[in-house]
Structures are given as C-alpha cells and as structure tokens.
Amino acid sequence: MAKGLFGSSLMKKFWMSITGLFLISFLLVHCALNALIFANDGGMLFNQGAHFMGTNIIIRTMEIVLFGGLIAHVVDGLMLFFQNRSARPVKYAYEKPSASSKWYSRSMALLGTLILLFLILHLYHFWLRTRITGLTVQPTHVFFEGHKLEDLYGEMKFVFSHLWVVIVYVLGCFSLFWHLLHGFRSAFQSLGLNYTKYKNGIAFCGDLFSVVIPTVFAAMPVSMYMGWVH
Amino acid sequence: MEKGMNLKLKVWRQKSTADKGGIVDYNVNNVSPDMSFLEMIDVLNEDLVKKGDDPVAFDHDCREGICGMCSMFINGEAHGPNRGVTTCQLHMRSFKDGDTVYVEPWRSEGFPVIKDLMVNRGAFDRIQQAGGFVSVNTSGRTMDANAIPIPKEDADKAFDAATCIGCGACVATCPNGSAMLFVGAKVSQFALLPQGQVERKDRVLNMVKQMDEEGFGNCSNIGACEVQCPKNISLEVIARMNREYLTANVKPEN
Ligand code: SF4
Ligand code: FES
C-alpha cells in the first residue's frame, strides 16, 4: 500500500467520507427518534424511546463508536484544512472564487467548527445531564406501565424555554444544513461512487436530506418554545 | 481606424524564485477588441522594451489552446472570465474600456514562480513520469491499436480525459491548491483502455504518491477546477481516480 491506510491525500478523503456518512446515519436515527415529541402525548412516546436508547447495550456501545467517529472526522478535517492552506503559501492579490464554486463548499471547516461549538452546548444540555449529572427539572422521572422513565421531555421543555438557546439551536441547524449540502454528495465523490449514472440521484438525496433533517431538528426547539407541542 | 480600449493593468512582477515580488501598475492604450490577451501583453512588453524596462515574462507556445503553457490568473480567475478557453483564446472583447485587470501567476506550493508570470510546472511532469504511460512492445509485432475492440463509450470517456493539456488551471483555481483534476484525467485516460490495464494499479498508486510529494492540496470536492478547466474535464475523473486508488489499495495483488 502506498502510504498505508491513513497517510495519503486520497485515504484522508476516504476516512473523511466514511466518518461523514456514519455521522449522517446517526443524524437520521437521532432525528427520527426525537421527532416522537411531535406525537403530542406529553412526551410519553419520546421518553420511552429515549429510555430504550439510554439502556440498550448495543446503542450504548454505538455511542462510544459515535464519539470516536466524530473525533476522527474533526481531526481529519483539521489536518486537511491546514495542509490545504499550506498548499498555497502565497495568496492571490485578487480572487473571485464565487465565479466557480459555492461559498459553503469552500467553508466546510468553518461550518464544521460552528457545528462543533453548537455540539458542545448541546452535549452539555442533554447528554451530560441524562448520562452523568442527572436532569435539572423536577420531577426528574415519570412512570409508564410500572417503569420509571427519566423525563427527558420535561428537560427539553425546560431547556427550550430560553429564547437564546432556541436561537443558538436554530443557527446550529443552519450550519448543519450547509455542511450537509456539500458533505453528503462529497462523501460519495470521495468514495468514487459518484458514477455518472447515480450522480443526479445522489445529488437529489443529498439536497433532500440536507433540507429535511435540519428543518425537523430546528422545529423541535422552536415548537417547544412556542408551546406548539404538549 | 476605430480607437481601441485603454486598460489599467496590475501585473505581478517577480525577478526570480527567491525574489519577493509584487504588483506593478501599467497602462495599456489602444487595445483592439480582436486581440488575444497574450497579444495585449505583447503590446505592453513592446512598450516596456522601448522604454528600456524589463518586459513581463510569461509562458506561451501554441497560442491556440493546445499546449497549456499560457498560465495567467486574470481578474481572480484562471485564464480569465471566459469558460472552456485558455489565456491565448481569451479575447480583449471580453473587457471594457477603462477596466482594471489583475494578472497574476498560478499560486501553488507545487508551482514555484520562475519569473513574473512564469511558473515551473515540472511537478506535473514528475507526476506523469510516475505512472502516466503505457509500456508498449515496440519490437515490430505491436498490435494495431485499431484492432483492439474498445466499447465506444469507454473510448469516448478516455478521449475526453486525454484532452487535458496539463495547463495547471485546476490547481491555480482550487481553493485547496489540489491537482486532482489533472491526475484524475491522466489516470482515467489509461484506466479506461485495454492498453492501460497492465500498469493499472501501480499507476494510480504511484501518481497519487508523487502528487502528494509535490505539495499539492487535498481535494474537498469544491468543483471550481471543473468550471475553470479550459478543456472542461469533469469531476468524474476524480471519482474514477478515487475508486481506482481505493481498489488498488484494498486489492494490491491479483
Ligand atoms: S484538468 Fe483541465 S485545468 Fe487541469 S491541467 Fe488538465 S486541462 Fe488544465
Ligand atoms: S499558448 Fe498554448 S494553450 Fe495558450
């Protein structure tokens, strides 16, 4: 092998797309599960789903893999960013990049950083409290058919009662939208799967995914703040 | 005779690779819209020579879009504002009287400036030498290429890839300074043909290795290269190189 599984430019791209696609699959599961809040049953269905995810051994193991995948995506991305910067040591005096490419395609590192910042806040709000420190709202538990469930729904309502939080979350969703708009199809290109025959299909799925997932995510804090779900 | 345009040029001047260089302002008057961009620079140079100044050094050869020498980054775009053309095919009718025009060399770690607008594109030669060839037996019993059956579609794709003139506009325009459109084209033109099968795996591994060593950046699929390429080489060649590389890596032996 040329430079092993990691060293070369193409292998870095390969890992970027593999981890990216893995994170995309996570987004789908995360989004679908959280959309249970829209059942309008006082969070019953959602709390059961969250309980399952929090206690299932396979899911908990995947959680570790997920953190690993995320870190790999970030580290690989930063490596690409700095290498690419040094590939042009002297900058142009006058550049017109908008003539030949989209701003979000050129700003993946920036968008990724914004998403990461959002993610730190997001993990602090929910992951830390459900997995480690315990929920902030009282009562922290609800009962369902004799089972004691953590009231993550109540926690969501509490967190999303703050306007600034809602705004930050919506901005996070916008960053995600643009990141996905480039990242989804880019992943297939890096894997060499962007065959002429599939190109339009991949582009369509990518655009659809980039719009739908962040929109559903953004709808959660907004509708909780506005009191549209109960 | 109709009076030509007057232009304000901002040209990169650099005495040598070691020199720091900088933008120098020039006025060029009476430019005919029918001139090519290179002819306009010729007019400027004649002026400079008459004044006893050092003319602007720039690469050019065929002046008809086939050699790929005329590397100029014009007003923020490789080969200027038009699509599917090189600098020698860019006509002054694409500019207006009174325009300010920036002219800079390709900017890349892999293309050091030799002088003014001339860059050293030896990196492309070294990439090509690393695998961009087929070993054909020339002992006299070589099979006539026309006798080898090739699906029309493959032949067309290989030909499209082979139209790359190695100009380097893809590198110059890429925000990542990546050379993958060029390397993808060179890998593709052989990978698609039966003659290219013998060295197929080594070719992609070695060419990518050389590309990385030359200091070019990593492609992040921005797609600016495909827009600026004078030969309209498509991003598909990069996808093909990616899968050639991945399969060669996964399955290094037969
Ligand atoms: S791929 Fe296009 S832009 Fe790049 S070197 Fe070949 S002809 Fe020039
Ligand atoms: S001078 Fe040959 S392509 Fe322009």
Side-chain angles (χ1 to χ4, degrees):
Chain A
M1 286 181 203
K3 260 197 190 173
L5 284 172
F6 301 99
S8 76
S9 53
L10 291 203
M11 286 320 280
K12 282 195 215 84
K13 277 161 56 94
F14 170 78
W15 288 113
M16 207 60 198
S17 55
I18 290 290
T19 50
L21 288 173
F22 175 57
L23 295 172
I24 280 174
S25 72
F26 157 75
L27 283 178
L28 193 64
V29 175
H30 185 31
C31 186
L33 203 87
N34 281 31
L36 294 178
I37 62 163
F38 296 118
N40 270 344
D41 59 353
M44 255 314 165
L45 207 56
F46 170 71
N47 276 339
Q48 287 167 56
H51 179 74
F52 169 77
M53 298 303 273
T55 49
N56 185 291
I57 178 74
I58 299 172
I59 303 290
R60 293 309 303 268
T61 314
M62 281 314 282
E63 194 174 299
I64 299 167
V65 182
L66 180 63
F67 273 110
L70 177 72
I71 292 167
H73 194 72
V74 171
V75 171
D76 199 6
L78 286 174
M79 266 171 20
L80 289 169
F81 175 75
F82 286 112
Q83 271 187 1
N84 289 347
R85 247 189 12 174
S86 57
R88 179 162 297 136
V90 183
K91 307 282 171 249
Y92 289 107
Y94 179 53
E95 247 184 310
K96 210 168 145 195
S98 59
S100 42
S101 60
K102 297 272 192 288
W103 73 268
Y104 53 83
S105 297
R106 299 189 302 269
S107 315
M108 289 300 273
L110 173 71
L111 291 168
T113 308
L114 292 177
I115 295 172
L116 189 64
L117 290 177
F118 158 77
L119 205 57
I120 291 168
L121 183 73
H122 182 51
L123 286 175
Y124 163 74
H125 276 154
F126 296 105
W127 184 82
L128 194 76
R129 289 178 190 168
T130 42
R131 303 283 193 262
I132 300 181
T133 59
L135 301 185
T136 39
V137 284
Q138 300 295 332
T140 56
H141 293 96
V142 289
F143 289 90
F144 173 73
E145 292 176 354
H147 295 289
K148 200 165 115 185
L149 304 180
E150 274 200 311
D151 187 16
L152 195 57
Y153 181 79
E155 184 76 18
M156 264 174 106
K157 283 214 122 164
F158 167 72
V159 171
F160 295 145
S161 64
H162 304 87
L163 183 61
W164 74 269
V165 174
V166 176
I167 292 172
V168 170
Y169 271 61
V170 171
L171 291 178
C173 290
F174 268 106
S175 310
L176 183 65
F177 159 69
W178 282 307
H179 200 74
L180 284 172
L181 206 54
H182 176 79
F184 192 101
R185 48 174 104 179
S186 183
F188 287 90
Q189 170 79 1
S190 292
L191 290 177
L193 298 175
N194 218 359
Y195 291 93
T196 321
K197 202 174 160 190
Y198 306 147
K199 216 169 146 180
N200 292 339
I202 290 170
F204 177 76
C205 293
D207 292 355
L208 192 70
F209 189 89
S210 320
V211 172
V212 171
I213 299 289
T215 307
V216 176
F217 271 134
M220 295 169 193
V222 170
S223 34
M224 283 207 155
Y225 183 78
M226 303 299 285
W228 293 336
V229 284
H230 26 257
Chain B
M1 198 183 102
E2 189 189 339
K3 210 178 157 306
M5 303 180 273
N6 297 334
L7 299 172
K8 290 187 199 59
L9 295 190
K10 288 179 171 291
V11 184
W12 184 265
R13 302 299 311 257
Q14 182 173 342
K15 287 196 179 64
S16 65
T17 308
D19 181 32
K20 209 169 152 282
I23 297 274
V24 178
D25 292 0
Y26 297 104
N27 289 318
V28 196
N29 299 327
N30 209 11
V31 173
S32 154
D34 296 332
M35 280 181 182
S36 79
F37 199 87
L38 297 188
E39 285 165 337
M40 185 274 293
I41 301 278
D42 290 338
V43 170
L44 166 70
N45 276 346
E46 257 174 58
D47 253 21
L48 290 176
V49 171
K50 267 186 221 149
K51 282 189 217 147
D53 287 345
D54 194 19
V56 177
F58 65 98
D59 266 328
H60 63 108
D61 188 11
C62 70
R63 298 209 174 196
E64 54 179 353
I66 51 174
C67 73
M69 288 302 282
C70 50
S71 51
M72 286 187 195
F73 206 75
I74 302 161
N75 269 352
E77 294 183 76
H79 297 136
N82 293 358
R83 298 291 168 255
V85 294
T86 49
T87 305
C88 56
Q89 296 171 300
L90 172 67
H91 287 86
M92 295 316 293
R93 53 179 164 269
S94 302
F95 298 85
K96 288 193 306 293
D97 187 35
D99 274 0
T100 301
V101 184
Y102 279 81
V103 193
E104 297 175 75
W106 288 170
R107 295 291 186 202
S108 161
E109 174 71 11
F111 294 156
V113 172
I114 299 169
K115 189 178 180 196
D116 298 335
L117 303 173
M118 283 173 94
V119 295
N120 183 345
R121 272 169 292 196
F124 271 13
D125 296 334
R126 290 187 290 275
I127 293 172
Q128 193 71 352
Q129 284 153 10
F133 51 79
V134 289
S135 304
V136 179
N137 185 353
T138 50
S139 64
R141 265 181 290 158
T142 317
M143 193 170 174
D144 186 349
N146 286 332
I148 305 170
I150 301 167
K152 166 86 168 113
E153 204 180 311
D154 290 357
D156 285 350
K157 280 187 176 166
F159 188 79
D160 285 348
T163 58
C164 162
I165 52 177
C167 64
C170 43
V171 174
T173 206
C174 174
N176 301 322
S178 166
M180 290 200 195
L181 197 67
F182 166 75
V183 182
K186 296 303 169 196
V187 166
S188 290
Q189 82 183 58
F190 297 115
L192 286 159
L193 297 178
Q195 293 93 328
Q197 298 313 304
V198 182
E199 290 118 338
R200 188 168 179 174
K201 282 175 184 166
D202 288 342
R203 173 179 306 115
V204 66
L205 293 177
N206 292 338
M207 288 180 87
V208 168
K209 183 162 170 267
Q210 191 63 37
M211 169 181 80
D212 288 351
E213 277 168 18
E214 299 291 350
F216 294 114
N218 305 281
C219 171
S220 65
N221 311 318
I222 291 173
C225 53
E226 150 182 270
V227 176
Q228 298 283 1
C229 169
K231 298 296 152 187
N232 297 323
I233 303 287
S234 144
L235 282 189
E236 281 164 33
V237 300
I238 302 184
R240 184 173 299 103
M241 171 178 66
N242 291 340
R243 58 179 175 265
E244 288 285 318
Y245 186 84
L246 292 173
T247 31
N249 242 343
V250 174
K251 195 171 164 286
E253 291 160 51
N254 277 323

